[in-house]
Amino acid sequence: MHTDLLLLSSPIGLPQHWPFIKMHGLENYFVILDRRDGNKPLNVEDIVRICSNNTGVGGEQLLTIEPASDEGLKAGAYAAVRIFNIDGREVGACGNATRCMAYLLLEESGGDELLIELAGDVVHCRRAGPMEISVTLGPISMDWRKIPLAREVDTLHLPIGSGPLIDGAALYIGNPHAIFFVDRLDGVDMPLYAPAVQNNPLFPDGANVGAAEIVNQQTLRLVVWERPGVLTKACGTGACIAAYAALKRGLVTSKRIAVHLPAGKLDIEILDGDRVVMTGPVSFCCHGFIQGGN
């Protein structure tokens, strides 16, 4: 383990126990393990157990710090990050998770900015204030094959819906999203309506489902139903997607948008091209040891 980062070493008598840190970004909770010392890959059972509130630490995702690949090192990556959902499925992106990991690695490196390898891409991260991090995410794609969708459709105007979730857009930012713009967010029962979209055959890998309300040209309100079926208090990639889709649909004209989620605000800047910068807070919960695998 890189004890400079975790400030932990395995206690006497617990050789199979792994140090962890638990953090959150706007109450989006993550269990973080440093796996840069050649530990064997985690299996699905490990991930499910660790993320469980009953058998493990409890979290919405498990994050591992890995050595950067040869390609990542050539691009200047400090380390690589892998992200796993509570069902053990690896995903390509999570904005809140990336901010938390960036904070830890910036503390370890002593710098104010660095690059992290994430699902084959290299992500720029920097300090934006005390316990606040900016990360550049993307590329964002609206190509139906990239998302992926089961067939070619107009990704700015989806032909599916559920209750008030109609005329949505589908986008990819390392994970698939469907975003629906509604007149009044408070009237949308996401646990009731979102699963039908998430599990629609149009999305063979499922989708994170968002509902957004346009408050004004610089402000959105957003709630997200995340894969594999969780109503989260904050979704960083969902906030990026909502702001990007609102601009693409002509619902807003500003490229700087404040996205208000149930747990707080994320600031999104839409760059020229297909990338966005997300800025928001990070917080520590606890650290300790979790039983290792066999």
Side-chain angles (χ1 to χ4, degrees):
M1 284 292 174
H2 285 64
T3 53
D4 287 344
L5 171 63
L6 295 179
L7 302 179
L8 296 168
S9 58
S10 188
I12 295 174
L14 297 178
Q16 296 300 318
H17 284 58
W18 299 329
F20 74 87
I21 284 178
K22 184 173 180 178
M23 297 183 69
H24 75 88
L26 294 180
E27 299 185 45
N28 200 188
Y29 292 94
F30 310 105
V31 182
I32 302 169
L33 302 177
D34 190 343
R35 307 283 290 174
R36 285 176 288 182
D37 286 346
N39 295 302
K40 70 174 185 177
L42 298 170
N43 59 40
V44 171
E45 290 75 19
D46 287 330
I47 295 165
V48 171
R49 172 176 56 83
I50 292 170
C51 289
S52 169
N53 290 318
N54 296 320
T55 61
V57 181
E60 293 173 72
Q61 287 176 320
L62 176 71
L63 316 179
T64 64
I65 307 171
E66 312 275 347
S69 68
D70 290 342
E71 292 77 11
L73 289 172
K74 289 177 183 177
Y78 182 84
V81 172
R82 298 179 71 186
I83 304 171
F84 301 89
N85 281 344
I86 58 175
D87 60 358
R89 176 189 295 188
E90 185 169 4
V91 297
C94 175
N96 290 323
T98 305
R99 290 202 322 280
C100 289
M101 293 293 259
Y103 181 84
L104 287 179
L105 295 172
L106 284 165
E107 288 292 290
E108 180 182 86
S109 70
D112 291 324
E113 58 183 304
L114 51 66
L115 300 174
I116 294 175
E117 186 179 7
L118 182 62
D121 193 20
V122 175
V123 177
H124 179 260
C125 311
R126 63 176 179 84
R127 299 183 192 270
M131 301 298 289
E132 191 170 65
I133 299 293
S134 289
V135 298
T136 301
L137 296 176
I140 297 174
S141 177
M142 301 188 72
D143 185 326
W144 69 274
R145 291 158 294 195
K146 180 71 174 178
I147 293 169
L149 301 181
R151 65 184 190 277
E152 184 176 4
V153 300
D154 181 353
T155 54
L156 262 182
H157 299 278
L158 293 176
I160 62 171
S162 176
L165 304 179
I166 57 174
D167 191 25
L171 304 94
Y172 178 82
I173 186 172
N175 51 15
H177 284 263
I179 179 69
F180 297 85
F181 295 97
V182 298
D183 293 332
R184 183 173 173 270
L185 191 60
D186 294 338
V188 180
D189 186 341
M190 291 296 280
L192 176 62
Y193 297 114
V197 176
Q198 177 191 329
N199 299 313
N200 190 286
L202 186 63
F203 292 97
D205 294 340
N208 301 293
V209 182
E213 174 187 336
I214 308 294
V215 177
N216 56 47
Q217 289 295 302
Q218 294 81 36
T219 311
L220 303 182
R221 296 178 62 216
L222 174 71
V223 293
V224 177
W225 180 264
E226 284 190 338
R227 295 184 304 174
V230 177
L231 186 62
T232 184
K233 291 188 176 182
C235 177
T237 55
C240 296
I241 285 296
Y244 188 89
L247 185 66
K248 287 292 185 181
R249 289 269 288 259
L251 302 174
V252 299
T253 56
S254 175
K255 291 188 175 183
R256 293 178 179 267
I257 299 174
V259 180
H260 293 265
L261 298 122
K265 177 174 71 75
L266 292 171
D267 292 307
I268 309 300
E269 179 184 2
I270 302 170
L271 304 178
D272 292 336
D274 53 9
R275 294 183 184 266
V276 297
V277 177
M278 176 190 59
T279 302
V282 300
S283 300
F284 284 100
C285 299
C286 61
H287 62 78
F289 297 89
I290 187 72
Q291 181 177 334
N294 294 323

